[in-house]
């Protein structure tokens, strides 16, 4: 073509070429400028494309740890985006959500959080539909500012749009964990676990979540739930020594020394140089297997794991029968480490060997520490041994009573209700002190209300006799509780009123009277007592939840109900009943997405605690029905009916039939 044009010399051909040129000019006119910064024919999207390419280059450089190269590319990306936005402005077009998001990312990577936040806000405002990427970008900006509170607020503000998103739930759980707000962290990790189990079984967060829930439940004193999650994690990550040791610690606290030894021996097998597991095993042998303890300490000596000083050194001395100077050393160790139980047990053993006159003092103190550390079996063993030594001596009646009272308390915590009652009766038979006798009778009446004994009438009888001798507000309160459990609500109200008359500033008395008034359908009295409870105790989350839920049920004061329940949840975010109540308030306000968010929190928390509440499931069914989703509605109604102990909820059965009919039409 180029050669042909060069050799044109025929007139006809020249005219023909000119004609073709004119036609081409009409067919393809001179290109217009899309932007003053660009050559004609070049669209403004050229700058956007170059910006994206530079950003990709920057991220690759970051991954390759070439920070200077990355910095230059992010700056170029910003420059190209600035030009793109100027071009768009010339055409009267605002920055798009995409270009604003890209610019926010660039500024964030360069550490300019002010501009990063401004551009992320613009991206959010221009987005036709908010994406989770924009929200997470804003969270990252707040994190770069080292503001964990604002980072959390960013995610929580828009969580209702992404209620089952694993990334959101994980990030919230992790942020609250970093802030050491364990209850809030537990709420989100539990919800994430719920989502993983039902929607995303192969989630990348599955075992991270299991470990986090193990830690959180341990911190919040749910040891058995903690064990469940740590074992799930341990089933895959078998060599995580930290988790194995934590499992050993939990079982130690629960008094299950056999299981604790199981995990400690695993650690010793996997890591023969481990010191902590070996020393903890030594304590267990000392506390729970004294007959073989000398052999284990000999093993530790062979492994050169007996330190020059410290508790293990002292225990080693005791199990080997060398007691010279040991009492003073143990006392010094206890003074320096008052929270340790094992040295107190060692000192008690030494006191028994030496027939120390302070033996019973040491016994009471050691048993108390064991009890406080929930070592109820150990505490019971210590107390029984001390009591046996007392029975050999006369004239120690009140000391015997004190022993029996503590023995009963240990038996109660172990769920040995009948044994606990027998010990308390024995203490009562021995006691000659009237004040002590009244306290013991109160404890006995209380014990008859525990477990599955169903002996409320017996409790009422004991308290009635006691009240004739010595009217006391706590005795009226307990009898009121007994009447409540018997369904005698009017008598319950009378007793709570007597207690209030004698002690008008006790918030608990008003709360329990409110419960009785509620059973009697006396709303105004119920409302008044709950308000009084809150005024006396501004942190009475149970009263806030109760009153907020009542308002929602009766369609009264919706804003106040919302305020009350949000305050209750701020105090106990991982309480399933409170989350259920707030979900129900949102349902009443027809804010169905918020209702689902909190009701799903409630369902997941209840399941985590080992029970499934039929009320929560019915509420979920009601919300789905309101959202015109009858399939999910009937599923939750049936689940509610299956979990209802009565299984004869006529109203619920009627709902199921009505919705199934709707589905079939």
């Amino acid at each position: 073509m180029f050669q042909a044009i060069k050799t044109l010399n025929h007139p006809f051909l020249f005219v023909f070429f000119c004609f073709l040129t004119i036609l081409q000019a009409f067919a393809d006119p001179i290109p217009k400028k899309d932007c003053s910064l660009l050559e004609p024919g070049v669209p403004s999207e050229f700058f956007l494309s170059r910006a994206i390419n530079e950003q990709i280059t920057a991220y690759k450089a970051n991954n390759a740890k070439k920070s200077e190269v990355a910095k230059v590319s992010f700056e170029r990306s910003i420059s190209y985006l600035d030009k793109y936005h100027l071009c768009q402005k010339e055409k009267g077009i605002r920055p798009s959500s995409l270009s604003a998001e890209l610019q926010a990312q660039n500024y964030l990577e360069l550490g300019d959080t002010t501009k990063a936040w401004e551009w992320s806000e613009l991206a959010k405002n221009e987005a036709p539909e908010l994406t989770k990427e924009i929200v997470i970008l804003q969270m990252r900006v707040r994190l770069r500012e080292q503001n964990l509170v604002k980072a959390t607020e960013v995610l929580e503000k828009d969580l209702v749009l992404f209620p089952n998103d694993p990334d959101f739930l994980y990030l919230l759980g992790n942020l609250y964990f970093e802030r050491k707000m364990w209850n809030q962290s537990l709420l989100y990790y539990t919800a994430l676990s719920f989502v993983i189990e039902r929607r995303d079984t192969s989630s990348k967060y599955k075992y991270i979540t299991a470990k986090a829930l193990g830690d959180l439940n341990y911190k919040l004193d749910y040891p058995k739930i903690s064990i469940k999650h740590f074992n799930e994690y341990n089933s895959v990550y078998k060599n995580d020594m930290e988790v194995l040791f934590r499992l050993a610690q939990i079982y130690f606290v629960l008094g299950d020394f056999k299981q604790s030894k199981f995990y400690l021996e695993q650690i010793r097998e996997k890591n023969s140089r481990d010191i902590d597991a070996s020393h903890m095993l030594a304590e267990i042998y000392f506390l729970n297997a004294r007959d073989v303890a000398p052999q284990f300490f000999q093993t530790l000596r062979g492994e050169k794991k007996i330190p020059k000083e410290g508790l293990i050194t002292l225990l080693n001395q005791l199990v080997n029968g060398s007691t010279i100077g040991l009492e003073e050393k143990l006392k010094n160790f206890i003074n320096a480490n008052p929270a340790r139980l094992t040295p107190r047990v060692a000192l008690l053993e030494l006191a028994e060997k030496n027939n120390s006159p302070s033996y019973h003092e040491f016994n009471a103190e050691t048993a108390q520490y064991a009890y406080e550390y929930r070592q109820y079996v150990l505490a019971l063993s210590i107390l029984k041994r001390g009591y046996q030594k007392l029975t050999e001596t006369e004239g120690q009646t009140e000391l015997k009573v004190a022993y029996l009272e503590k023995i009963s308390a240990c038996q109660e915590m172990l769920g040995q209700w009948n044994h606990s009652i027998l010990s308390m009766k024995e203490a009562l038979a021995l006691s000659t002190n009237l004040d002590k006798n009244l306290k013991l009778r109160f404890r006995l009446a209380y014990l008859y209300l525990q477990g599955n004994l169903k002996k409320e009438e017996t409790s009422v009888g004991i308290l009635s006799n006691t009240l004739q001798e010595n009217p006391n507000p706590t005795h009226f309160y307990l009898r009121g509780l007994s009447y409540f459990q018997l369904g005698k609500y009017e008598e319950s109200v009378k007793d709570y009123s007597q207690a209030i008359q004698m002690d008008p500033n006790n918030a608990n008395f008003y709360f329990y009277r409110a419960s009785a008034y509620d059973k009697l359908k006396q709303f105004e009295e119920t409302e008044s007592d709950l308000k009084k409870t809150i005024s006396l105790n501004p942190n009475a989350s149970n009263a806030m939840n109760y009153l907020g839920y009542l308002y929602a049920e009766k369609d009264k004061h919706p804003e106040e109900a919302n305020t009350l329940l949000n305050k209750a949840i701020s105090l106990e975010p991982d309480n399933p009943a409170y989350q259920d109540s707030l979900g129900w308030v949102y349902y009443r306000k027809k804010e169905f997405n918020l209702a689902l968010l909190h009701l799903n929190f409630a369902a997941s928390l209840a399941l985590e605690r080992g029970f499934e509440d039929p009320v929560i499931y019915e509420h979920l069914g009601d919300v789905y029905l309101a959202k015109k989703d009858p399939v999910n509605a009937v599923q939750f109604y049936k689940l509610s009916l299956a979990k209802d102990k009565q299984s004869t909820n006529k109203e619920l059965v009627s709902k199921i039939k009505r919705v199934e009919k709707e589905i079939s039409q």
Side-chain angles (χ1 to χ4, degrees), residues 254-315:
L254 289 173
D256 189 341
F257 295 123
K258 181 179 179 181
Q259 279 296 110
S260 185
K261 284 167 64 179
F262 172 76
Y263 288 105
L264 293 170
E265 284 165 356
Q266 277 192 52
I267 295 170
R268 277 173 55 81
E269 184 179 332
K270 295 172 189 289
N271 181 10
S272 60
R273 291 180 295 178
D274 184 273
I275 296 291
D276 292 336
S278 298
H279 287 179
M280 191 172 174
L281 258 177
E283 286 194 53
I284 289 175
Y285 277 112
F286 175 78
L287 292 171
N288 189 242
R290 291 291 279 107
D291 53 333
V292 293
Q295 183 180 342
F296 184 74
F297 275 91
Q298 185 178 348
T299 300
L300 290 186
R301 286 196 297 274
E303 294 173 355
K304 297 184 179 178
K305 289 179 181 174
I306 303 290
K308 292 182 179 179
E309 56 183 24
L311 178 60
I312 299 303
T313 306
L314 300 177
L315 296 181

Side-chain angles (χ1 to χ4, degrees), residues 409-427:
C410 290
Q411 290 166 331
E412 177 196 343
M413 298 309 296
L414 291 167
Q416 299 172 3
W417 309 112
N418 288 316
H419 285 88
S420 182
I421 287 169
L422 288 172
S423 296
M424 191 55 62
K425 283 183 173 180
E426 191 177 346

Side-chain angles (χ1 to χ4, degrees), residues 263-492:
Y263 288 105
L264 293 170
E265 284 165 356
Q266 277 192 52
I267 295 170
R268 277 173 55 81
E269 184 179 332
K270 295 172 189 289
N271 181 10
S272 60
R273 291 180 295 178
D274 184 273
I275 296 291
D276 292 336
S278 298
H279 287 179
M280 191 172 174
L281 258 177
E283 286 194 53
I284 289 175
Y285 277 112
F286 175 78
L287 292 171
N288 189 242
R290 291 291 279 107
D291 53 333
V292 293
Q295 183 180 342
F296 184 74
F297 275 91
Q298 185 178 348
T299 300
L300 290 186
R301 286 196 297 274
E303 294 173 355
K304 297 184 179 178
K305 289 179 181 174
I306 303 290
K308 292 182 179 179
E309 56 183 24
L311 178 60
I312 299 303
T313 306
L314 300 177
L315 296 181
N316 179 54
Q317 185 179 341
L318 181 59
V319 298
N320 283 286
S322 174
T323 60
I324 299 171
L326 188 55
E327 182 177 349
E328 185 180 352
K329 291 177 184 176
L330 283 168
K331 286 180 177 178
N332 289 337
F333 185 88
I334 290 167
N335 288 334
N337 304 273
R340 297 293 296 273
L341 173 62
T342 308
R344 295 179 185 277
V345 175
L347 185 61
L348 178 63
E349 182 179 321
L350 193 61
E352 185 175 9
K353 282 184 176 180
N354 295 337
N355 292 316
S356 169
S358 302
Y359 170 78
H360 290 297
E361 181 186 334
F362 290 148
N363 186 290
E365 190 177 276
T366 306
Q368 184 61 32
Y369 270 86
Y371 182 89
E372 288 174 3
Y373 290 137
R374 295 177 300 177
Q375 297 278 351
Y376 304 122
V377 174
L378 178 61
L380 187 59
S381 172
I382 291 168
L383 289 166
K384 282 185 173 180
R385 189 167 182 82
Y387 184 71
Q388 285 170 356
K389 292 178 76 66
L390 271 179
T391 55
E392 300 164 3
T393 323
E394 296 297 328
Q396 301 189 60
T397 304
E398 290 308 317
L399 192 52
K400 290 178 183 178
V401 170
Y403 265 106
L404 287 166
E405 188 180 7
K406 291 174 181 176
I407 286 169
S408 175
C410 290
Q411 290 166 331
E412 177 196 343
M413 298 309 296
L414 291 167
Q416 299 172 3
W417 309 112
N418 288 316
H419 285 88
S420 182
I421 287 169
L422 288 172
S423 296
M424 191 55 62
K425 283 183 173 180
E426 191 177 346
L428 264 167
L430 286 172
S431 178
T432 56
N433 181 289
L434 180 59
D435 288 341
K436 187 67 174 178
N437 197 278
L438 290 171
K439 290 177 182 177
L440 293 174
R441 276 192 256 172
F442 178 86
R443 284 281 303 153
L444 183 61
Y446 165 81
L447 287 169
Y448 277 119
L449 298 179
Q450 304 309 305
N452 297 316
L453 296 176
K454 302 293 182 185
K455 292 189 177 181
E456 292 87 355
E457 292 284 7
T458 306
S459 181
V460 167
I462 294 168
L463 291 165
S464 296
N465 291 331
T466 304
L467 284 166
Q468 286 179 358
E469 295 178 45
N470 182 35
N472 181 292
T474 56
H475 286 66
F476 275 117
Y477 153 74
L478 190 60
R479 192 173 70 173
L481 184 59
S482 302
Y483 279 133
F484 186 91
Q485 291 188 11
L486 287 166
K488 296 181 178 181
Y489 304 120
E490 290 182 358
E491 291 88 338
S492 183

